[in-house]
Amino acid sequence: MTRYHYPEPKSSEITPEHVWTKRRQLLASGALMAAGGALPLASAMAQRSKSSDWAPLVAKPNPQYVVMDALTSQKDVTTYNNFYEFGLDKADPAKYAGAMKIEPWSVEIEGEVAKPGTYGLEELLSLSPMQDRVYRMRCVEGWSMVIPWIGYPLSALLNKVEPTGNAKYVEFVTDMQPDVMRGLSSSVIDWPYREGLRMDEAMHPLTLLTFGVYGTVLPNQNGAPVRLVVPWKYGFKSAKSLVKIRVTEKQPLTSWVAAAASEYGFYANVNPEVRHPRWTQATERRIGEGGFFTPKRPTLMFNGYADQVASLYAGMDLRKNY
Ligand SMILES: Nc1nc2c(c(=O)[nH]1)N[C@H]1C(S)=C(S)[C@@H](COP(=O)(O)O)O[C@H]1N2
Ligand SMILES: [Mo]
């Protein structure tokens, strides 16, 4: 848990080389790097089911994708969650998601692709090298975390299934397990949980197909065994426990847009200048940081990823396309 602690940063820029080197040294001194960084992928997945802890999943840190902010603790990352399938309280996912069945697991890929099919988790795990990336995450509710995810760009998978000329959007669908997902009885959302991205967003190198966090396989509450992570958008775009990826010509109707279109848009880019109808989005509370009187942090345009993603929205009215 402590091996990710490295010097408190000053800015939120990409890590300078010397800081990165330092971090690599810290990582290398930890037990998980003992095997030379080899990825115990399938075995990691297999080991974890009955353990209260999670099997290691080691990946090469990618120095291009790391932020300087101090990491949110593993404890907060794994106990303060939104996963409405398991209840609305932040503590519910950690309490109840352990019962979710994640073996065997496969993801169906369909729609506007030349190679549709069912991809087993094993195959997904070995499709592309895993990377360790530290991302800033911002929930639409006004809190944020800094999380070391493990995965690879979704583009690796999309390229493999060969999107057709009609492919304009990608829809993501979460599993439904009514026997263990007590939240499915709630009508806040028309289940299953569905999210979506425009094709260029889905292909963007920041968009991560994610299998692990904090050096372990994903805990169930974080969306095991495979989820999406899209760091420049509000957290609800990062759908968990995916069972279907559908490539489409038309913009998919996502769960939150269906639930309240005036409050949650399809794009949902982090934007401090566009209020949620019921609250400001200009500031955020970093989970684990200080107490009640700690000043909030200013929220950054595109959650701090503007250099990398602003061009995707050139010419678009981001007030209309919230
Ligand atoms: N299937 C599903 N995915 C989901 C959610 C959910 O309720 N169900 N909540 C979203 C929201 S609002 C957030 S902020 C993030 C939280 O991810 P974390 O708990 O791993 O930090 O997951 C997103 N993905
Ligand atoms: Mo969220």
Side-chain angles (χ1 to χ4, degrees):
M1 198 183 291
T2 52
R3 72 207 157 74
Y4 281 100
H5 288 172
Y6 44 95
E8 178 93 51
K10 285 197 205 75
S11 81
S12 55
E13 295 306 312
I14 300 296
T15 319
E17 184 66 33
H18 67 280
V19 177
W20 182 251
T21 306
K22 177 82 180 153
R23 179 167 183 252
R24 286 293 294 271
Q25 287 164 357
L26 289 171
L27 282 166
S29 67
L32 287 179
M33 292 299 275
L39 316 183
L41 294 177
S43 59
M45 288 294 181
Q47 278 167 34
R48 49 85 58 101
S49 52
K50 281 186 198 79
S51 168
S52 60
D53 211 341
W54 306 288
L57 178 60
V58 184
K60 255 218 182 97
N62 184 330
Q64 272 192 296
Y65 300 99
V66 70
V67 293
M68 296 296 287
D69 307 33
L71 293 184
T72 302
S73 73
Q74 186 182 30
K75 179 149 199 281
D76 283 338
V77 168
T78 58
T79 58
Y80 189 92
N81 302 101
N82 272 340
F83 199 163
Y84 277 14
E85 285 83 341
F86 293 99
L88 303 186
D89 195 273
K90 297 287 176 275
D92 285 341
K95 243 188 254 171
Y96 302 118
M100 178 167 60
K101 187 173 179 248
I102 60 160
E103 286 180 66
W105 195 276
S106 57
V107 179
E108 212 180 317
I109 304 183
E110 59 178 44
E112 294 291 345
V113 295
K115 296 181 175 165
T118 301
Y119 289 75
L121 191 68
E122 296 290 328
E123 196 176 348
L124 292 178
L125 284 168
S126 57
L127 196 83
S128 187
M130 293 281 171
Q131 301 171 23
D132 183 320
R133 296 183 174 195
V134 179
Y135 280 168
R136 234 181 264 110
M137 304 299 292
R138 171 64 157 77
C139 179
V140 75
E141 296 164 339
W143 48 271
S144 63
M145 296 192 186
V146 180
I147 303 183
W149 298 113
I150 298 165
Y152 55 74
L154 175 68
S155 63
L157 176 58
L158 291 175
N159 285 330
K160 189 176 155 77
V161 299
E162 298 175 13
T164 71
N166 295 329
K168 298 211 172 62
Y169 295 89
V170 186
E171 183 181 21
F172 305 89
V173 185
T174 295
D175 198 16
M176 286 209 283
Q177 298 183 14
D179 49 332
V180 294
M181 291 175 166
R182 56 183 59 218
L184 296 182
S185 60
S186 143
S187 55
V188 219
I189 278 174
D190 174 28
W191 310 101
Y193 194 99
R194 283 158 289 129
E195 259 308 331
L197 295 172
R198 210 171 58 188
M199 199 61 186
D200 56 345
E201 300 175 323
M203 293 297 285
H204 193 280
L206 276 170
T207 301
L208 202 68
L209 193 64
T210 302
F211 301 87
V213 67
Y214 251 113
T216 79
V217 298
L218 284 173
N220 285 7
Q221 57 267 39
N222 293 98
V226 56
R227 70 175 294 176
L228 194 68
V229 173
V230 192
W232 73 94
K233 294 175 178 284
Y234 291 117
F236 67 84
K237 298 298 290 182
S238 296
K240 296 178 168 181
S241 303
L242 300 176
V243 289
K244 192 174 284 191
I245 297 177
R246 189 185 288 129
V247 178
T248 63
E249 183 165 14
K250 285 200 187 134
Q251 182 174 302
L253 177 61
T254 59
S255 289
W256 284 106
V257 170
S262 61
E263 303 194 5
Y264 309 102
F266 176 80
Y267 283 93
N269 293 314
V270 175
N271 188 341
E273 290 162 21
V274 177
R275 282 177 55 86
H276 182 280
R278 292 181 279 133
W279 60 81
T280 176
Q281 294 292 23
T283 58
E284 65 199 49
R285 182 170 66 89
R286 182 63 53 82
I287 297 300
E289 193 173 73
F292 189 76
F293 296 103
T294 304
K296 294 192 170 185
R297 290 174 172 254
T299 287
L300 305 173
M301 188 65 203
F302 296 113
N303 205 24
Y305 296 96
D307 287 355
Q308 293 164 75
V309 302
S311 62
L312 298 178
Y313 310 103
M316 269 178 73
D317 182 345
L318 297 178
R319 290 191 173 276
K320 263 181 153 169
N321 297 287
Y322 53 90

